[in-house]
Amino acid sequence: MYVLDANIFIQSNQAHYGLDFVPGFWDWLDRSYAAGLLVSIQPVHMEINARKDDLTAWAGARPDLFSKMDGACAPSLTAVAQWAAHAHYTSAAVAEFLAAADYQLVAFARAHGMTVVTMEKSEPLRKSKVKIPEACNAHGVPWVTPFAMLRNEKASFVLP
């Protein structure tokens, strides 16, 4: 099962899978959620809501797609926060990471045995920003790009 980062929704809508010209992608997300294949988390929903655009309306019509952070996440939240604080990152990078949905996304995936889907690229030597792939790697959480997820799940957006 996959848990989707905010950038999957935001960048997809702004670039290659816009709500207005690739509705098949968004239909696939709906169907995949209904089939139990993917979710996101409420902190991601909050990031989307802050934008006040067509994506905000789309996400607002699908509140169940965005799971709550539950009690099972508590040990993972602690582990991810401690890792970030003791890794090679600047204090500003750690503070930014802990204030964003990214930290909670990794903890949710860790707690529930899920794969994170993100457009972030691994930058293991970077000190000024904690990247999702590094947090995932540090905690044994699998992660993939959205394109890998779509290929793994044999998604197809074919015109009728």
Side-chain angles (χ1 to χ4, degrees):
M1 187 167 189
Y2 301 99
V3 59
L4 279 56
D5 185 12
N7 64 26
I8 301 308
F9 301 100
I10 295 166
Q11 287 178 246
S12 292
N13 188 40
Q14 290 177 338
H16 37 276
Y17 297 127
L19 280 160
D20 58 337
F21 65 93
V22 188
F25 173 76
W26 305 93
D27 291 343
W28 185 86
L29 290 178
D30 284 336
R31 289 176 186 174
S32 296
Y33 165 72
L37 182 65
L38 60 80
V39 296
S40 192
I41 57 172
Q42 285 186 345
V44 165
H45 194 228
M46 291 168 47
E47 285 186 16
I48 293 169
N49 282 342
R51 303 180 53 79
K52 307 288 186 223
D53 60 10
D54 58 341
L55 182 58
T56 304
W58 181 89
R62 293 153 178 85
D64 293 341
L65 173 63
F66 301 92
S67 296
K68 292 180 182 179
M69 299 297 292
D70 56 20
C73 295
S76 292
L77 287 164
T78 299
V80 174
Q82 287 177 346
W83 165 80
H86 294 97
H88 66 278
Y89 300 104
T90 65
S91 56
V94 173
E96 179 185 350
F97 178 67
L98 296 178
D102 295 357
Y103 145 72
Q104 295 176 68
L105 186 77
V106 174
F108 188 89
R110 182 180 186 264
H112 295 285
M114 301 173 93
T115 298
V116 172
V117 183
T118 184
M119 289 193 186
E120 285 192 8
K121 304 228 182 308
S122 178
E123 295 183 64
L125 300 179
R126 188 168 180 185
K127 295 179 184 199
S128 61
K129 181 162 177 61
V130 180
K131 302 290 258 178
I132 289 173
E134 273 57 68
C136 286
N137 291 341
H139 296 282
V141 173
W143 62 276
V144 295
T145 67
F147 310 109
M149 175 188 68
L150 292 169
R151 284 188 178 103
N152 290 343
E153 299 306 324
K154 298 179 179 25
S156 179
F157 311 121
V158 179
L159 294 173

